[in-house]
Each structure stands twice: as structure tokens, then as C-alpha cells.
Amino acid sequence: VVSTQSTGYGSGHTDVIVTECDKASKEFLSSVDSACVFVNCSSRFSDGYRFGLGAEVGISTSRIHARGPVGIQGLLTTKWTLVGKGQTVHEFTAGEKRKSFVFQELPILEGENANQQLDELDSDSDSEYGSDSDSDSDSTAGDAQ
């Protein structure tokens, strides 16, 4: 895999890789410097409403856009990562079996154990919300995170 950071390419907004290689996906997630970095899912998931932020009032590719007196929140940026199994936004917008978005607080992962913590969250999500092999499942949150 060639990271967009090392080549100078990348949108700064949303970048996606489609791969079956776990090593490539993990390298992509950790090395790409964009607000949204996704693996094996549609870039259309990059939306403020879908992230639980409410209606979007603007889009920025700048790293820091604060002005005037600034608290700690004004100095922080967010990197949204999404690992899917081929999901598209259409699954959440149309049809009788339409899936719903589930908004929940997730822990902040940091340090040397972040990848292990992420793997544990992923396996918890699969068991709690059903696996993708069950196509008739009413699964919602595991697919949208």
C-alpha cells in the first residue's frame, strides 16, 4: 500500500481503500492524514448527520479553523475511521429492510494497545449486532460504525 501522506496525495477530507489485506487496511488507516479514512465501504458515509453531529453547515479540509479565544476543543481535530465489509449508504436510505443509524459514545483509543482495543470493539460489535452473513438481520450499529 502507498499512503497518501508519503506521496503528497490525499483529499484532507475523505479517503477510502478497498482491500482484502488486513495489513494494507491498518497501514492505510494509520498513515492517511484526512478527516475521514475508510476501508471497504462507501465514501458517502462521510456526512455530519451520519456521524451524529446534526446538519452540516460547512465542510473544511483545514486542520485547525478556530478563531478568537479558543478552548481545548477548538484546538483538537477529529479523524473518523470506518471499516466495513462493502456497505453502501443505500442500505441505510431505501427499502423495507432499510437499516438505521445508531449513535453511541465510543471510547477514545490511544497508545500502543489502540489496535488491540479496536479489534476487541469490532468483535463485540459483531456479536452484539449480528454478523454480515445474516442478511435478514435487523443489524444496525455494527454496520454503520
Side-chain angles (χ1 to χ4, degrees):
V1 69
V2 178
S3 78
T4 60
Q5 185 177 14
S6 63
T7 62
Y9 296 101
S11 68
H13 187 281
T14 303
D15 290 292
V16 179
I17 186 174
V18 176
T19 182
E20 293 179 352
C21 177
D22 285 340
K23 182 179 177 188
S25 66
K26 287 179 180 178
E27 183 177 336
F28 187 79
L29 287 170
S30 66
S31 66
V32 174
D33 186 20
S34 287
C36 303
V37 185
F38 299 164
V39 175
N40 296 335
C41 59
S42 172
S43 62
R44 291 185 58 208
F45 282 108
S46 179
D47 177 81
Y49 171 75
R50 293 183 177 113
F51 291 150
L53 303 175
E56 285 184 4
V57 295
I59 297 172
S60 174
T61 58
S62 299
R63 293 203 38 87
I64 302 289
H65 52 274
R67 184 173 176 182
V70 178
I72 190 69
Q73 282 300 114
L75 297 175
L76 300 176
T77 59
T78 302
K79 179 176 181 178
W80 301 88
T81 60
L82 182 65
V83 178
K85 297 177 182 174
Q87 289 85 356
T88 64
V89 170
H90 181 74
E91 298 170 50
F92 294 85
T93 60
E96 290 180 17
K97 292 187 178 184
R98 179 179 73 185
K99 297 178 182 180
S100 299
F101 288 98
V102 174
F103 303 108
Q104 65 185 34
E105 291 290 323
L106 296 174
I108 296 175
L109 307 177
E110 50 186 287
E112 294 178 18
N113 296 327
N115 284 335
Q116 180 181 352
Q117 293 171 12
L118 185 60
D119 290 340
E120 289 170 6
L121 280 173
D122 186 42
S123 65
D124 289 347
S125 175
D126 284 346
S127 63
E128 184 175 349
Y129 300 108
S131 68
D132 285 343
S133 62
D134 183 8
S135 61
D136 293 329
S137 170
D138 289 333
S139 167
T140 55
D143 297 331
Q145 298 174 10

PDB file of all heavy atoms in Angstrom, residues 45 49-50 91-93 97-103 129 137-145:
ATOM      1  N   PHE A  45     -20.511   7.716   3.372  1.00  0.00           N
ATOM      2  CA  PHE A  45     -20.742   7.704   4.809  1.00  0.00           C
ATOM      3  C   PHE A  45     -20.134   8.946   5.474  1.00  0.00           C
ATOM      4  O   PHE A  45     -20.417   9.235   6.631  1.00  0.00           O
ATOM      5  CB  PHE A  45     -20.178   6.439   5.459  1.00  0.00           C
ATOM      6  CG  PHE A  45     -21.046   5.229   5.263  1.00  0.00           C
ATOM      7  CD1 PHE A  45     -20.651   4.213   4.409  1.00  0.00           C
ATOM      8  CD2 PHE A  45     -22.260   5.110   5.911  1.00  0.00           C
ATOM      9  CE1 PHE A  45     -21.441   3.085   4.224  1.00  0.00           C
ATOM     10  CE2 PHE A  45     -23.069   3.996   5.735  1.00  0.00           C
ATOM     11  CZ  PHE A  45     -22.654   2.985   4.884  1.00  0.00           C
ATOM     12  N   TYR A  49     -24.370  14.367   9.544  1.00  0.00           N
ATOM     13  CA  TYR A  49     -25.558  13.736  10.128  1.00  0.00           C
ATOM     14  C   TYR A  49     -25.272  12.279  10.461  1.00  0.00           C
ATOM     15  O   TYR A  49     -25.628  11.791  11.524  1.00  0.00           O
ATOM     16  CB  TYR A  49     -26.756  13.816   9.178  1.00  0.00           C
ATOM     17  CG  TYR A  49     -27.913  12.979   9.683  1.00  0.00           C
ATOM     18  CD1 TYR A  49     -28.695  13.413  10.745  1.00  0.00           C
ATOM     19  CD2 TYR A  49     -28.176  11.725   9.144  1.00  0.00           C
ATOM     20  CE1 TYR A  49     -29.730  12.632  11.243  1.00  0.00           C
ATOM     21  CE2 TYR A  49     -29.210  10.934   9.634  1.00  0.00           C
ATOM     22  CZ  TYR A  49     -29.975  11.393  10.677  1.00  0.00           C
ATOM     23  OH  TYR A  49     -30.981  10.611  11.176  1.00  0.00           O
ATOM     24  N   ARG A  50     -24.634  11.581   9.546  1.00  0.00           N
ATOM     25  CA  ARG A  50     -24.356  10.158   9.767  1.00  0.00           C
ATOM     26  C   ARG A  50     -23.386   9.933  10.924  1.00  0.00           C
ATOM     27  O   ARG A  50     -23.353   8.868  11.506  1.00  0.00           O
ATOM     28  CB  ARG A  50     -23.842   9.536   8.474  1.00  0.00           C
ATOM     29  CG  ARG A  50     -24.927   9.496   7.414  1.00  0.00           C
ATOM     30  CD  ARG A  50     -24.457   8.826   6.138  1.00  0.00           C
ATOM     31  NE  ARG A  50     -25.554   8.752   5.205  1.00  0.00           N
ATOM     32  CZ  ARG A  50     -25.618   9.419   4.062  1.00  0.00           C
ATOM     33  NH1 ARG A  50     -24.630  10.205   3.702  1.00  0.00           N
ATOM     34  NH2 ARG A  50     -26.659   9.307   3.276  1.00  0.00           N
ATOM     35  N   GLU A  91     -28.071   1.187   1.649  1.00  0.00           N
ATOM     36  CA  GLU A  91     -28.629   0.234   2.610  1.00  0.00           C
ATOM     37  C   GLU A  91     -29.318   0.936   3.783  1.00  0.00           C
ATOM     38  O   GLU A  91     -30.134   0.346   4.471  1.00  0.00           O
ATOM     39  CB  GLU A  91     -27.533  -0.670   3.171  1.00  0.00           C
ATOM     40  CG  GLU A  91     -26.848  -1.525   2.129  1.00  0.00           C
ATOM     41  CD  GLU A  91     -25.616  -2.208   2.683  1.00  0.00           C
ATOM     42  OE1 GLU A  91     -25.722  -2.840   3.755  1.00  0.00           O
ATOM     43  OE2 GLU A  91     -24.558  -2.115   2.052  1.00  0.00           O
ATOM     44  N   PHE A  92     -28.966   2.215   4.008  1.00  0.00           N
ATOM     45  CA  PHE A  92     -29.499   2.967   5.135  1.00  0.00           C
ATOM     46  C   PHE A  92     -30.526   4.011   4.704  1.00  0.00           C
ATOM     47  O   PHE A  92     -31.001   4.784   5.524  1.00  0.00           O
ATOM     48  CB  PHE A  92     -28.353   3.661   5.884  1.00  0.00           C
ATOM     49  CG  PHE A  92     -27.415   2.682   6.532  1.00  0.00           C
ATOM     50  CD1 PHE A  92     -26.368   2.132   5.809  1.00  0.00           C
ATOM     51  CD2 PHE A  92     -27.597   2.306   7.846  1.00  0.00           C
ATOM     52  CE1 PHE A  92     -25.515   1.217   6.400  1.00  0.00           C
ATOM     53  CE2 PHE A  92     -26.748   1.392   8.439  1.00  0.00           C
ATOM     54  CZ  PHE A  92     -25.708   0.842   7.722  1.00  0.00           C
ATOM     55  N   THR A  93     -30.856   4.041   3.408  1.00  0.00           N
ATOM     56  CA  THR A  93     -31.748   5.094   2.934  1.00  0.00           C
ATOM     57  C   THR A  93     -32.981   4.600   2.195  1.00  0.00           C
ATOM     58  O   THR A  93     -33.879   5.392   1.949  1.00  0.00           O
ATOM     59  CB  THR A  93     -30.994   6.063   1.999  1.00  0.00           C
ATOM     60  OG1 THR A  93     -30.492   5.337   0.874  1.00  0.00           O
ATOM     61  CG2 THR A  93     -29.866   6.757   2.718  1.00  0.00           C
ATOM     62  N   LYS A  97     -36.234  -3.133   4.132  1.00  0.00           N
ATOM     63  CA  LYS A  97     -35.225  -3.648   5.072  1.00  0.00           C
ATOM     64  C   LYS A  97     -34.151  -2.599   5.353  1.00  0.00           C
ATOM     65  O   LYS A  97     -33.016  -2.926   5.683  1.00  0.00           O
ATOM     66  CB  LYS A  97     -34.583  -4.915   4.512  1.00  0.00           C
ATOM     67  CG  LYS A  97     -35.553  -6.078   4.460  1.00  0.00           C
ATOM     68  CD  LYS A  97     -34.841  -7.338   4.063  1.00  0.00           C
ATOM     69  CE  LYS A  97     -35.800  -8.516   4.055  1.00  0.00           C
ATOM     70  NZ  LYS A  97     -35.127  -9.770   3.764  1.00  0.00           N
ATOM     71  N   ARG A  98     -34.528  -1.322   5.233  1.00  0.00           N
ATOM     72  CA  ARG A  98     -33.585  -0.229   5.458  1.00  0.00           C
ATOM     73  C   ARG A  98     -32.999  -0.321   6.863  1.00  0.00           C
ATOM     74  O   ARG A  98     -33.717  -0.545   7.842  1.00  0.00           O
ATOM     75  CB  ARG A  98     -34.307   1.105   5.273  1.00  0.00           C
ATOM     76  CG  ARG A  98     -33.399   2.285   5.519  1.00  0.00           C
ATOM     77  CD  ARG A  98     -34.119   3.566   5.299  1.00  0.00           C
ATOM     78  NE  ARG A  98     -35.050   3.765   6.410  1.00  0.00           N
ATOM     79  CZ  ARG A  98     -35.901   4.746   6.472  1.00  0.00           C
ATOM     80  NH1 ARG A  98     -36.006   5.592   5.487  1.00  0.00           N
ATOM     81  NH2 ARG A  98     -36.701   4.871   7.511  1.00  0.00           N
ATOM     82  N   LYS A  99     -31.703  -0.149   6.956  1.00  0.00           N
ATOM     83  CA  LYS A  99     -31.025  -0.158   8.245  1.00  0.00           C
ATOM     84  C   LYS A  99     -31.065   1.236   8.837  1.00  0.00           C
ATOM     85  O   LYS A  99     -31.178   2.225   8.121  1.00  0.00           O
ATOM     86  CB  LYS A  99     -29.575  -0.619   8.073  1.00  0.00           C
ATOM     87  CG  LYS A  99     -29.469  -2.041   7.557  1.00  0.00           C
ATOM     88  CD  LYS A  99     -28.036  -2.444   7.359  1.00  0.00           C
ATOM     89  CE  LYS A  99     -27.960  -3.862   6.798  1.00  0.00           C
ATOM     90  NZ  LYS A  99     -26.580  -4.282   6.601  1.00  0.00           N
ATOM     91  N   SER A 100     -30.972   1.323  10.150  1.00  0.00           N
ATOM     92  CA  SER A 100     -30.971   2.608  10.837  1.00  0.00           C
ATOM     93  C   SER A 100     -29.581   2.908  11.360  1.00  0.00           C
ATOM     94  O   SER A 100     -28.823   1.993  11.705  1.00  0.00           O
ATOM     95  CB  SER A 100     -31.941   2.572  12.021  1.00  0.00           C
ATOM     96  OG  SER A 100     -33.245   2.330  11.580  1.00  0.00           O
ATOM     97  N   PHE A 101     -29.272   4.185  11.452  1.00  0.00           N
ATOM     98  CA  PHE A 101     -28.021   4.591  12.080  1.00  0.00           C
ATOM     99  C   PHE A 101     -28.224   4.555  13.583  1.00  0.00           C
ATOM    100  O   PHE A 101     -29.278   4.931  14.095  1.00  0.00           O
ATOM    101  CB  PHE A 101     -27.624   6.009  11.655  1.00  0.00           C
ATOM    102  CG  PHE A 101     -27.161   6.089  10.238  1.00  0.00           C
ATOM    103  CD1 PHE A 101     -28.025   6.500   9.236  1.00  0.00           C
ATOM    104  CD2 PHE A 101     -25.873   5.737   9.898  1.00  0.00           C
ATOM    105  CE1 PHE A 101     -27.604   6.566   7.923  1.00  0.00           C
ATOM    106  CE2 PHE A 101     -25.442   5.797   8.593  1.00  0.00           C
ATOM    107  CZ  PHE A 101     -26.309   6.213   7.597  1.00  0.00           C
ATOM    108  N   VAL A 102     -27.224   4.073  14.306  1.00  0.00           N
ATOM    109  CA  VAL A 102     -27.257   4.039  15.755  1.00  0.00           C
ATOM    110  C   VAL A 102     -26.111   4.908  16.240  1.00  0.00           C
ATOM    111  O   VAL A 102     -24.961   4.702  15.861  1.00  0.00           O
ATOM    112  CB  VAL A 102     -27.103   2.597  16.292  1.00  0.00           C
ATOM    113  CG1 VAL A 102     -27.000   2.603  17.813  1.00  0.00           C
ATOM    114  CG2 VAL A 102     -28.269   1.751  15.829  1.00  0.00           C
ATOM    115  N   PHE A 103     -26.434   5.901  17.058  1.00  0.00           N
ATOM    116  CA  PHE A 103     -25.416   6.803  17.566  1.00  0.00           C
ATOM    117  C   PHE A 103     -25.100   6.410  18.998  1.00  0.00           C
ATOM    118  O   PHE A 103     -25.993   6.301  19.837  1.00  0.00           O
ATOM    119  CB  PHE A 103     -25.913   8.250  17.506  1.00  0.00           C
ATOM    120  CG  PHE A 103     -26.315   8.668  16.124  1.00  0.00           C
ATOM    121  CD1 PHE A 103     -27.639   8.853  15.797  1.00  0.00           C
ATOM    122  CD2 PHE A 103     -25.354   8.838  15.147  1.00  0.00           C
ATOM    123  CE1 PHE A 103     -28.014   9.231  14.517  1.00  0.00           C
ATOM    124  CE2 PHE A 103     -25.718   9.205  13.871  1.00  0.00           C
ATOM    125  CZ  PHE A 103     -27.040   9.412  13.544  1.00  0.00           C
ATOM    126  N   TYR A 129     -24.482  -7.141  17.372  1.00  0.00           N
ATOM    127  CA  TYR A 129     -25.376  -6.698  16.320  1.00  0.00           C
ATOM    128  C   TYR A 129     -25.549  -7.710  15.200  1.00  0.00           C
ATOM    129  O   TYR A 129     -26.210  -7.441  14.229  1.00  0.00           O
ATOM    130  CB  TYR A 129     -24.880  -5.378  15.737  1.00  0.00           C
ATOM    131  CG  TYR A 129     -24.817  -4.293  16.775  1.00  0.00           C
ATOM    132  CD1 TYR A 129     -23.601  -3.830  17.250  1.00  0.00           C
ATOM    133  CD2 TYR A 129     -25.985  -3.755  17.298  1.00  0.00           C
ATOM    134  CE1 TYR A 129     -23.556  -2.839  18.213  1.00  0.00           C
ATOM    135  CE2 TYR A 129     -25.941  -2.770  18.267  1.00  0.00           C
ATOM    136  CZ  TYR A 129     -24.729  -2.308  18.712  1.00  0.00           C
ATOM    137  OH  TYR A 129     -24.680  -1.344  19.663  1.00  0.00           O
ATOM    138  N   SER A 137     -30.874  -9.999   9.072  1.00  0.00           N
ATOM    139  CA  SER A 137     -30.745  -9.442  10.409  1.00  0.00           C
ATOM    140  C   SER A 137     -31.201  -7.991  10.424  1.00  0.00           C
ATOM    141  O   SER A 137     -31.073  -7.268   9.457  1.00  0.00           O
ATOM    142  CB  SER A 137     -29.284  -9.529  10.845  1.00  0.00           C
ATOM    143  OG  SER A 137     -29.079  -8.797  12.017  1.00  0.00           O
ATOM    144  N   ASP A 138     -31.711  -7.550  11.559  1.00  0.00           N
ATOM    145  CA  ASP A 138     -32.064  -6.159  11.745  1.00  0.00           C
ATOM    146  C   ASP A 138     -30.858  -5.367  12.254  1.00  0.00           C
ATOM    147  O   ASP A 138     -30.995  -4.337  12.879  1.00  0.00           O
ATOM    148  CB  ASP A 138     -33.221  -6.014  12.738  1.00  0.00           C
ATOM    149  CG  ASP A 138     -34.522  -6.506  12.164  1.00  0.00           C
ATOM    150  OD1 ASP A 138     -34.670  -6.464  10.926  1.00  0.00           O
ATOM    151  OD2 ASP A 138     -35.381  -6.926  12.943  1.00  0.00           O
ATOM    152  N   SER A 139     -29.673  -5.875  11.990  1.00  0.00           N
ATOM    153  CA  SER A 139     -28.444  -5.254  12.436  1.00  0.00           C
ATOM    154  C   SER A 139     -28.372  -3.810  11.978  1.00  0.00           C
ATOM    155  O   SER A 139     -28.661  -3.484  10.862  1.00  0.00           O
ATOM    156  CB  SER A 139     -27.264  -6.048  11.862  1.00  0.00           C
ATOM    157  OG  SER A 139     -26.078  -5.349  12.016  1.00  0.00           O
ATOM    158  N   THR A 140     -27.959  -2.922  12.910  1.00  0.00           N
ATOM    159  CA  THR A 140     -27.845  -1.516  12.543  1.00  0.00           C
ATOM    160  C   THR A 140     -26.491  -0.959  12.892  1.00  0.00           C
ATOM    161  O   THR A 140     -25.767  -0.520  12.031  1.00  0.00           O
ATOM    162  CB  THR A 140     -28.940  -0.683  13.224  1.00  0.00           C
ATOM    163  OG1 THR A 140     -28.869  -0.903  14.630  1.00  0.00           O
ATOM    164  CG2 THR A 140     -30.305  -1.050  12.722  1.00  0.00           C
ATOM    165  N   ALA A 141     -26.134  -0.939  14.148  1.00  0.00           N
ATOM    166  CA  ALA A 141     -24.944  -0.233  14.578  1.00  0.00           C
ATOM    167  C   ALA A 141     -23.659  -0.842  14.095  1.00  0.00           C
ATOM    168  O   ALA A 141     -22.731  -0.111  13.741  1.00  0.00           O
ATOM    169  CB  ALA A 141     -24.915  -0.136  16.107  1.00  0.00           C
ATOM    170  N   GLY A 142     -23.533  -2.141  14.072  1.00  0.00           N
ATOM    171  CA  GLY A 142     -22.277  -2.769  13.669  1.00  0.00           C
ATOM    172  C   GLY A 142     -21.891  -2.417  12.259  1.00  0.00           C
ATOM    173  O   GLY A 142     -20.729  -2.360  11.926  1.00  0.00           O
ATOM    174  N   ASP A 143     -22.865  -2.148  11.404  1.00  0.00           N
ATOM    175  CA  ASP A 143     -22.578  -1.824  10.012  1.00  0.00           C
ATOM    176  C   ASP A 143     -22.266  -0.364   9.804  1.00  0.00           C
ATOM    177  O   ASP A 143     -21.615   0.001   8.836  1.00  0.00           O
ATOM    178  CB  ASP A 143     -23.772  -2.201   9.115  1.00  0.00           C
ATOM    179  CG  ASP A 143     -24.038  -3.676   9.139  1.00  0.00           C
ATOM    180  OD1 ASP A 143     -23.102  -4.468   9.333  1.00  0.00           O
ATOM    181  OD2 ASP A 143     -25.197  -4.047   8.955  1.00  0.00           O
ATOM    182  N   ALA A 144     -22.720   0.516  10.673  1.00  0.00           N
ATOM    183  CA  ALA A 144     -22.608   1.942  10.424  1.00  0.00           C
ATOM    184  C   ALA A 144     -21.429   2.575  11.122  1.00  0.00           C
ATOM    185  O   ALA A 144     -21.239   3.754  11.039  1.00  0.00           O
ATOM    186  CB  ALA A 144     -23.903   2.632  10.868  1.00  0.00           C
ATOM    187  N   GLN A 145     -20.636   1.816  11.854  1.00  0.00           N
ATOM    188  CA  GLN A 145     -19.575   2.446  12.623  1.00  0.00           C
ATOM    189  C   GLN A 145     -18.248   2.284  11.946  1.00  0.00           C
ATOM    190  O   GLN A 145     -17.904   1.342  11.399  1.00  0.00           O
ATOM    191  CB  GLN A 145     -19.530   1.853  14.006  1.00  0.00           C
ATOM    192  CG  GLN A 145     -20.821   2.138  14.709  1.00  0.00           C
ATOM    193  CD  GLN A 145     -20.878   1.448  16.037  1.00  0.00           C
ATOM    194  OE1 GLN A 145     -19.900   0.921  16.511  1.00  0.00           O
ATOM    195  NE2 GLN A 145     -22.023   1.437  16.639  1.00  0.00           N
TER     196      GLN A 145
END
